[in-house]
Amino acid sequence: MMRTSSTLLYTGLLKRVAIFAVCLFVFCEWFIYYLVIFQCSWPEINIDENNRQSEPLKAMLLTDTHLLGSKDGHWFDKLRREWQMERAFQTALSHFNPDVVFLLGDLFDEGMKCSDEEWDFYIQRFRRMFRHSEHTELHVVVGNHDIGFHPDASRDKHLFRRFSSVFDSPSVELLSIRGNLFVLVNSIALQGDECSMCSEAMTQLMSVADKLNCHRERTKKEIYEDLAKKQKTSCDLPKDSPAPILIQHFPLYRRTEVNCAGADAPPAEEKNSVNREKWEVVSKKMSNKLLQLIRPRLVLSGHTHHGCYLVHDDGTPEMTIPSFSWRNRNNPSFVLSIITPDKFAISKCFIPRETTVIAVYIIAGAVFVLMNLRPTYVYLRSRRTCRQIKYESCCIR
């Protein structure tokens, strides 16, 4: 009877452990993403129905995914954080169903130093993690971890070429999506020197600026001195085209992060650090040139891994989007935006905190152990009593 009771106890305990472990795993690795992300929603925007020419564009933006390579990071780190990003992205994609997704650079952590063979493996993982339907457009800009900072990228031209060929991403690109204009820029090429990548980027930037400013009065001669001298008889864009949205990896120039606020702002010890031009931010000279040439209505950037919203001296707002990976911050996020030719609205959506998921595992495990202590104690006590009774019975005989 004692052996049967012991077997039943262990079998029941194993069943409870298995059921509890499966339920806890499903909650922490699937359900919690829906629970948190479903609390977010598209921003509200007032649209004049009489002047509506097309449906508002729904855009989702994220940055700094930093898929790990073979050299840096532990295999469990890679598994854990890439699973987190895949689940967060797929949950958000299925729930919000955006028209377009923008990734603002640093897709890969070791893109600047991996071989072509590992690069192919990188691309396979990226396409699996960030898979999407054919109804959703995906556009990316290059980051410094994808091809290296300017010294590495300019020295090894192959790095940017293989990135650009895979993602169809030139140094400067003008996109028109549902009546809205976007200018995507390679921040690493904005050095102002004579490297081939930088020269090509400046040529493309001037071409895009010429299209954008074709209908505008050119009052600042020094800004357009490199543009075609002959006035075009026809323009590539309609006269009523909206101001574009500038998307790039590096933020435009700002001396420090002091003005950044919010739950994902830089920590206090980093706010007063002076940003290095061409490393943390685009140079001041090139930032002014971008603002004057492109005249964007909004700038979106990444790179710092922290969130920041500010307004530049000319009135142009810029939002720096935090990293999407647990490896870079405890509370990653992405951005949802409703865009029309004359308006835009932005909301930030957080995904589950890594500390929250770890805490759920620890607390749930502790509660489970405590719940099973009493049954185990009662069983062990009854077993000891039975042995004592059996021993006394043998002594009487």
Side-chain angles (χ1 to χ4, degrees):
M1 289 178 63
M2 289 179 61
R3 289 179 179 176
T4 302
S5 177
S6 177
T7 301
L8 290 174
L9 176 67
Y10 287 133
T11 302
L13 181 61
L14 288 174
K15 286 182 178 180
R16 289 196 298 273
V17 169
I19 294 172
F20 173 80
V22 170
C23 292
L24 181 60
F25 183 82
V26 169
F27 177 82
C28 290
E29 305 301 333
W30 273 278
F31 184 71
I32 195 171
Y33 291 95
Y34 292 95
L35 185 65
V36 174
I37 291 176
F38 280 18
Q39 297 178 39
C40 190
S41 61
W42 289 104
E44 296 182 358
I45 186 171
N46 295 323
I47 301 174
D48 187 353
E49 296 293 336
N50 296 326
N51 296 329
R52 176 185 290 192
Q53 298 178 352
S54 61
E55 286 295 317
L57 182 70
K58 295 181 177 180
M60 176 178 170
L61 302 103
L62 56 144
T63 185
D64 291 270
T65 52
H66 284 269
L67 275 66
L68 285 174
S70 60
K71 299 179 178 63
D72 300 330
H74 191 268
W75 68 266
F76 184 75
D77 184 12
K78 180 190 300 184
L79 175 67
R80 187 81 187 97
R81 274 62 187 274
E82 291 188 8
W83 172 258
Q84 163 257 318
M85 287 188 287
E86 181 176 356
R87 289 307 332 137
F89 181 79
Q90 294 302 326
T91 302
L93 199 69
S94 62
H95 179 58
F96 295 112
N97 192 27
D99 301 311
V100 59
V101 176
F102 291 102
L103 273 76
L104 278 60
D106 278 0
L107 282 58
F108 312 112
D109 194 62
E110 301 175 25
M112 70 288 197
K113 57 184 177 182
C114 69
S115 65
D116 288 345
E117 182 179 0
E118 187 172 356
W119 174 260
D120 292 336
F121 181 54
Y122 251 148
I123 300 303
Q124 293 174 15
R125 286 158 54 202
F126 176 85
R127 287 175 174 166
R128 184 197 73 244
M129 292 171 57
F130 298 98
R131 59 190 180 276
H132 55 89
S133 71
E134 59 182 11
H135 303 295
T136 300
E137 297 184 35
L138 177 68
H139 299 281
V140 306
V141 294
V142 67
N144 54 286
H145 273 266
D146 299 317
I147 63 172
F149 282 102
H150 177 260
D152 295 325
S154 60
R155 183 171 54 251
D156 189 351
K157 301 175 185 178
H158 175 62
L159 296 173
F160 177 65
R161 286 175 181 170
R162 72 180 180 184
F163 183 94
S164 180
S165 63
V166 169
F167 295 104
D168 190 22
S169 175
S171 283
V172 181
E173 183 178 15
L174 176 62
L175 295 176
S176 178
I177 307 176
R178 205 172 288 177
N180 302 284
L181 298 180
F182 301 88
V183 177
L184 279 58
V185 176
N186 172 6
S187 301
I188 294 88
L190 300 179
Q191 301 295 313
D193 60 13
E194 298 301 322
C195 81
S196 59
M197 180 180 65
C198 299
S199 298
E200 183 180 356
M202 290 308 301
T203 300
Q204 295 172 356
L205 179 62
M206 291 302 180
S207 176
V208 167
D210 195 26
K211 293 177 182 178
L212 293 171
N213 295 288
C214 185
H215 293 290
R216 297 173 180 172
E217 182 181 0
R218 299 179 180 180
T219 56
K220 297 184 179 180
K221 183 179 179 182
E222 69 277 8
I223 301 302
Y224 301 102
E225 59 184 2
D226 293 328
L227 297 178
K229 295 181 179 180
K230 292 185 178 180
Q231 185 71 28
K232 288 186 176 181
T233 57
S234 62
C235 295
D236 296 325
L237 298 174
K239 191 171 184 178
D240 59 350
S241 294
I245 294 176
L246 176 61
I247 298 177
Q248 58 184 13
H249 183 61
F250 284 11
L252 293 180
Y253 177 79
R254 53 182 184 246
R255 187 174 183 276
T256 66
E257 307 294 290
V258 169
N259 295 325
C260 302
D264 52 9
E269 62 272 16
E270 294 184 20
K271 281 191 173 183
N272 292 315
S273 299
V274 177
N275 290 321
R276 295 172 297 172
E277 297 184 37
K278 305 179 182 180
W279 291 91
E280 282 88 28
V281 293
V282 178
S283 69
K284 187 174 183 179
K285 179 181 178 180
M286 188 57 69
S287 295
N288 291 332
K289 193 165 189 175
L290 280 172
L291 290 173
Q292 292 169 334
L293 285 174
I294 304 301
R295 301 187 189 181
R297 53 175 167 155
L298 173 67
V299 179
L300 296 166
S301 57
H303 185 54
T304 68
H305 299 173
H306 303 298
C308 188
Y309 179 85
L310 54 82
V311 179
H312 292 280
D313 293 339
D314 68 344
T316 304
E318 177 174 3
M319 172 177 275
T320 300
I321 303 172
S323 174
F324 191 65
S325 173
W326 274 346
R327 193 166 190 260
N328 298 319
R329 58 182 310 105
N330 181 42
N331 59 339
S333 61
F334 58 93
V335 166
L336 296 176
S337 181
I338 300 289
I339 306 171
T340 68
D342 58 344
K343 294 181 180 180
F344 64 85
I346 293 176
S347 65
K348 184 176 291 183
C349 298
F350 290 91
I351 62 179
R353 291 172 177 261
E354 185 175 31
T355 52
T356 300
V357 175
I358 294 174
V360 170
Y361 272 119
I362 294 174
I363 294 172
V367 170
F368 179 80
V369 170
L370 291 174
M371 289 176 61
N372 286 275
L373 279 179
R374 180 173 176 78
T376 304
Y377 171 75
V378 170
Y379 164 74
L380 292 175
R381 185 177 180 182
S382 63
R383 186 177 180 181
R384 185 177 61 181
T385 302
C386 289
R387 285 178 176 175
Q388 185 176 0
I389 293 174
K390 183 178 181 181
Y391 174 76
E392 291 175 355
S393 175
C394 291
C395 289
I396 291 173
R397 290 178 184 177

